[in-house]
Amino acid sequence: DAKTTQPPSMDCAEGRAANLPCNHSTISGNEYVYWYRQIHSQGPQYIIHGLKNNETNEMASLIITEDRKSSTLILPHATLRDTAVYYCIVRVRDSNYQLIWGAGTKLIIKP
Amino acid sequence: NAGVTQTPKFRILKIGQSMTLQCAQDMNHNYMYWYRQDPGMGLKLIYYSVGAGITDKGEVPNGYNVSRSTTEDFPLRLELAAPSQTSVYFCASEKGTMNTEAFFGQGTRLTVV
């Protein structure tokens, strides 16, 4: 079973920041938080990952709480092309570090 | 640099037929994976490989077989296709398991009738 909890769907206005929450209250100290997205049934696309510190790349920012029990993916200026299903995944050590996928959050960017 | 290439993109099989889904990567990645995705669900791991000659079962391996004779290729074999195997299949590869990113192919949409 997935070790994360995400809202099933969210809306965001185009040009605004999209903030996608994820709860992972049972995360262990050496387990990473990963974010992928899947646009219209294409192959999933890697976005970002982190362990303890906040991370930023050209696509997004990842904010991890100090206790590591939750995180937020931020798309700073959402566009219509960011409409996708976003998956928050904890890389689980006791499953040989496999990615365990939940149902994700369907993010809809509205014009 | 093609990344991860899957063939075919679409296939219709009759119950009891067999087929091989092809997956190739040109990034010299050690780790390769096969997932299936049913409508509205996340991905489920079928099989994975940590290097040539080494494969292991994932969450849903029944009805499938894999081999890994080279670093580049990781074919998935379906024997005696069943309607329950109707799904979209994704192949992925990555360099390692922690602190690395997986690259995915565009998927094979399989229908068993």
Side-chain angles (χ1 to χ4, degrees):
Chain A
D1 291 331
K3 291 187 67 175
T4 62
T5 304
Q6 299 178 254
S9 64
M10 293 181 62
D11 294 343
C12 180
E14 187 178 20
R16 305 296 291 268
N19 296 278
L20 290 87
C22 180
N23 286 323
H24 31 80
S25 58
T26 61
I27 193 170
S28 297
N30 62 351
E31 292 175 340
Y32 285 80
V33 178
Y34 279 75
W35 284 84
Y36 285 80
R37 73 181 183 183
Q38 189 174 25
I39 297 173
H40 198 246
S41 298
Q42 297 176 13
Q45 175 189 26
Y46 166 82
I47 301 173
I48 199 166
H49 72 281
L51 183 62
K52 296 179 182 178
N53 299 321
N54 298 337
E55 302 287 344
T56 295
N57 63 21
E58 65 279 2
M59 288 183 67
S61 294
L62 174 61
I63 309 298
I64 302 174
T65 57
E66 193 168 344
D67 63 7
R68 301 187 72 239
K69 292 186 177 181
S70 66
S71 60
T72 301
L73 178 74
I74 301 173
L75 307 179
H77 304 288
T79 71
L80 297 178
R81 287 176 293 184
D82 292 322
T83 292
V85 178
Y86 288 77
Y87 296 96
C88 170
I89 302 166
V90 169
R91 197 140 208 182
V92 180
R93 183 178 186 180
D94 59 7
S95 294
N96 199 21
Y97 298 110
Q98 299 312 308
L99 297 169
I100 310 297
W101 300 71
T105 295
K106 172 69 174 178
L107 176 66
I108 299 173
I109 307 300
K110 297 188 172 182
Chain B
N1 190 346
V4 179
T5 302
Q6 289 184 239
T7 55
K9 288 185 171 54
F10 303 93
R11 183 73 185 267
I12 298 174
L13 278 182
K14 293 184 178 179
I15 294 172
Q17 287 185 322
S18 301
M19 77 164 293
T20 298
L21 282 67
Q22 302 291 344
C23 176
Q25 54 94 6
D26 61 0
M27 297 171 281
N28 200 32
H29 286 166
N30 289 323
Y31 291 76
M32 295 188 74
Y33 309 88
W34 273 107
Y35 293 92
R36 60 175 287 171
Q37 186 176 33
D38 298 328
M41 307 292 286
L43 278 67
K44 290 189 181 296
L45 183 65
I46 305 171
Y47 271 96
Y48 66 99
S49 169
V50 301
I54 305 170
T55 62
D56 208 347
K57 296 178 181 179
E59 184 182 359
V60 290
N62 292 341
Y64 308 94
N65 276 299
V66 294
S67 59
R68 184 97 181 270
S69 57
T70 67
T71 299
E72 295 77 19
D73 299 301
F74 190 40
L76 177 71
R77 178 80 176 165
L78 278 71
E79 304 283 1
L80 299 174
S84 60
Q85 293 178 304
T86 294
S87 191
V88 181
Y89 292 83
F90 290 102
C91 178
S93 74
E94 66 180 331
K95 189 174 182 180
T97 56
M98 297 299 281
N99 206 22
T100 61
E101 63 179 279
F103 294 81
F104 284 80
Q106 287 305 298
T108 295
R109 187 174 298 273
L110 175 68
T111 302
V112 182
V113 297

